Amino acid sequence: EAAVTQSPRNKVAVTGGKVTLSCNQTNNHNNMYWYRQDTGHGLRLIHYSYGAGSTEKGDIPDGYKASRPSQENFSLILELATPSQTSVYFCASGDNYEQYFGPGTRLTVL
Amino acid sequence: GEQVEQRPPHLSVREGDSAFITCTYTDPNSYYFFWYKQEPGASLQLLMKVFSSTEINEGQGFTVLLNKKDKRLSLNLTAAHPGDSAAYFCAVSDRGSALGRLHFGAGTQLIVIP
């Protein structure tokens, strides 16, 4: 049974619209992460969290917000989506320096 | 901050040949090293986690080499088969990194030709 799930799996949004990507984990990990994956860049860290109620900026936080309402859930929010945010987004949970990834969300901003 | 460079970006080998992928990193405090495999359209699967104290680690059909002096991490897929065709990513973390942050290489797209 998948321990890290993401929804939606695919999303098409319009420029200027609000997008929320959701992540749920059943690993009981304290740490959760949001990455985006683009060709030639590998995975880049957007936001992360060390527990419910906490969020921290990663390497490329501009244009994104995050929310960690509970141990299990971590959301990524694009308040005003732009075409440059078209990408594949991965959520991960982890402890002891190991991270386990969700299936990814493909976001297209038109 | 940590910079991780991965080479080559694309690699094609024939079935049965070896495939060699290398990452170099900049932070001498780096302590944990990871290789992930990503099949087309899928998520990242952890292949191996190695610690700074171990230079050679062997897995199922592959070997991971760590050269701390040169700050180089390598993945050698021995006798590659078509099922190894995927993208491979290295990742690096230091022992003191808050929240176990990983720094990823840009990836290597491997094609194994039958």
Side-chain angles (χ1 to χ4, degrees):
Chain A
E1 189 174 337
V4 182
T5 57
Q6 294 181 231
S7 63
R9 295 294 312 281
N10 291 280
K11 173 75 177 179
V12 179
V14 295
T15 297
K18 181 177 180 178
V19 177
T20 300
L21 306 183
S22 299
C23 178
N24 177 275
Q25 58 108 353
T26 57
N27 294 321
N28 199 31
H29 288 154
N30 290 324
N31 304 335
M32 295 187 74
Y33 312 83
W34 275 107
Y35 296 90
R36 62 179 285 176
Q37 183 179 36
D38 303 288
T39 302
H41 287 281
L43 274 76
R44 292 181 290 174
L45 183 64
I46 306 170
H47 284 287
Y48 58 103
S49 167
Y50 55 82
S54 84
T55 61
E56 303 289 337
K57 293 181 179 179
D59 297 322
I60 53 164
D62 293 347
Y64 303 93
K65 292 169 65 175
S67 174
R68 182 87 181 270
S70 65
Q71 176 84 341
E72 296 80 18
N73 295 293
F74 191 36
S75 297
L76 186 68
I77 303 151
L78 290 68
E79 295 278 5
L80 294 170
T82 68
S84 65
Q85 293 174 313
T86 293
S87 187
V88 179
Y89 292 85
F90 286 97
C91 174
S93 73
D95 268 333
N96 298 321
Y97 295 92
E98 291 189 21
Q99 294 186 20
Y100 298 89
F101 287 82
T105 294
R106 183 171 296 277
L107 173 65
T108 303
V109 183
L110 302 175
Chain B
E2 175 81 91
Q3 302 290 325
V4 180
E5 186 170 332
Q6 184 171 343
R7 290 283 185 269
H10 301 277
L11 181 60
S12 291
V13 302
R14 296 206 173 271
E15 185 173 4
D17 288 348
S18 294
F20 196 75
I21 303 169
T22 297
C23 289
T24 56
Y25 57 94
T26 56
D27 188 347
N29 293 319
S30 296
Y31 192 80
Y32 299 98
F33 305 87
F34 305 83
W35 282 102
Y36 284 89
K37 176 182 180 181
Q38 184 181 33
E39 296 180 350
S43 188
L44 281 79
Q45 171 191 357
L46 180 64
L47 271 184
M48 181 168 279
K49 170 185 175 182
V50 302
F51 298 94
S52 182
S53 58
T54 307
E55 293 187 344
I56 300 175
N57 295 266
E58 294 188 356
Q60 192 82 356
F62 60 90
T63 302
V64 172
L65 304 171
L66 176 63
N67 183 324
K68 290 179 287 183
K69 175 176 175 292
D70 294 342
K71 295 197 282 295
R72 186 184 307 272
L73 175 72
S74 302
L75 172 67
N76 185 29
L77 295 163
T78 54
H81 56 86
D84 292 330
S85 295
Y88 291 82
F89 295 90
C90 63
V92 178
S93 181
D94 68 79
R95 191 174 354 201
S97 174
L99 306 177
R101 286 187 56 172
L102 296 180
H103 301 273
F104 282 85
T108 296
Q109 190 68 47
L110 173 66
I111 297 174
V112 181
I113 304 165

